[in-house]
Amino acid sequence: MRQTPAQAHYMRTMAALAASAGSAADAHGQTIGTAYELQLAQLHQHRIALKDIKANERKAEAKRAMLPEYDAYLAGVFDTQPGTQDEVVATILIWAIDAGDYARAMPLAEYALASGINPPDNYNRDMASVVAEEIAEAVLAGRLKDQDAIAVTQRVLELTAETDMHDQIKAKLNKAAGWALLGKTNSQDIAMDAKGRTLQVCGAALPYLQRAMELDPLRAGVKKDIERLEARLKK
């Protein structure tokens, strides 16, 4: 159910109060549910609705429609910067990536990683690993491409540069960064024509693919790309 402007204002106000005091009381001394509790209830209802959807594309569409209903609460979180574990922030970050809404996802990723927020319970990885892998897979699958792919992968590389994570995930992110620069995805011909890329682009992409190979030599899947780029650069 979409919020009215009055409800949105209330949620933002309550988010600020919740972050600083945890709860507020009305004129009768009764405890008003915090914005966080209200959003958790909304999240629960949305999860129930998503369980009834089988197709991933339809789930992504549904999440895209649901995301604006959390904007007022998240604005309150960004205003107050509580820096505490937040199931709403964690879930909406992942939903935004799933929905292809990277404009929403990236500020949430920056806040979540800076605050040490953990992913929802159904993830067995830390948040940095989840963000890195989800973004990498979006690029490799062609859901995130062109200049957006370049900008997002570069930012995620920056955000996770000092993070301890599995080599395979770092390799996948570096592969995605290289492919983003080349404009390549898994949906395209595997035999990428390096001749169609400028020397500047080839030179920029090559170190990312070499790093991916270093981190995961058996499964990176970039050996042929590296050979083609090196041949192009030698000429």
Side-chain angles (χ1 to χ4, degrees), residues 101-139:
D101 191 342
Y102 304 103
R104 272 192 175 87
M106 291 312 297
L108 286 168
E110 293 180 8
Y111 173 73
L113 294 177
S115 302
I117 291 175
N118 296 316
D121 291 339
N122 58 320
Y123 285 84
N124 296 319
R125 295 163 290 167
D126 59 273
M127 184 62 84
S129 296
V130 171
V131 171
E133 189 159 28
E134 294 292 329
I135 290 297
E137 290 182 352
V139 173

Side-chain angles (χ1 to χ4, degrees), residues 19 76-78 80-84 86 111 115:
V77 171
F78 289 142
T80 55
Q81 299 281 317
T84 54
D86 190 313
Y111 173 73
S115 302

Side-chain angles (χ1 to χ4, degrees), residues 10-11 14-15 17-18 21-24 31-39:
Y10 171 77
M11 292 297 293
M14 288 303 297
L17 290 171
S23 64
T31 300
I32 299 172
T34 66
Y36 181 60
E37 291 166 345
L38 293 171
Q39 289 297 102

Side-chain angles (χ1 to χ4, degrees), residues 59-196:
K59 280 190 176 182
E61 290 173 2
K63 289 174 180 176
R64 198 173 298 120
M66 294 170 179
L67 290 174
E69 298 188 36
Y70 297 89
D71 284 352
Y73 170 77
L74 294 174
V77 171
F78 289 142
D79 284 348
T80 55
Q81 299 281 317
T84 54
Q85 178 60 25
D86 190 313
E87 183 79 4
V88 176
V89 170
T91 302
I92 298 308
L93 164 55
I94 295 169
W95 284 9
I97 296 174
D98 291 343
D101 191 342
Y102 304 103
R104 272 192 175 87
M106 291 312 297
L108 286 168
E110 293 180 8
Y111 173 73
L113 294 177
S115 302
I117 291 175
N118 296 316
D121 291 339
N122 58 320
Y123 285 84
N124 296 319
R125 295 163 290 167
D126 59 273
M127 184 62 84
S129 296
V130 171
V131 171
E133 189 159 28
E134 294 292 329
I135 290 297
E137 290 182 352
V139 173
L140 299 178
R143 297 191 303 273
L144 174 58
K145 52 190 175 182
D146 301 326
Q147 290 301 314
D148 287 341
I150 296 172
V152 171
T153 51
Q154 291 297 321
R155 185 58 182 142
V156 174
L157 281 166
E158 293 171 0
L159 292 171
T160 61
E162 303 302 322
T163 303
D164 180 27
M165 68 176 69
H166 292 296
D167 288 344
Q168 291 84 353
I169 297 176
K170 283 191 174 182
K172 190 181 292 186
L173 181 59
N174 276 274
K175 176 180 178 178
W179 278 20
L181 287 164
L182 294 168
K184 179 181 177 181
T185 71
N186 277 325
S187 63
Q188 295 175 329
D189 186 347
I190 296 300
M192 179 201 69
D193 182 10
K195 294 178 183 178

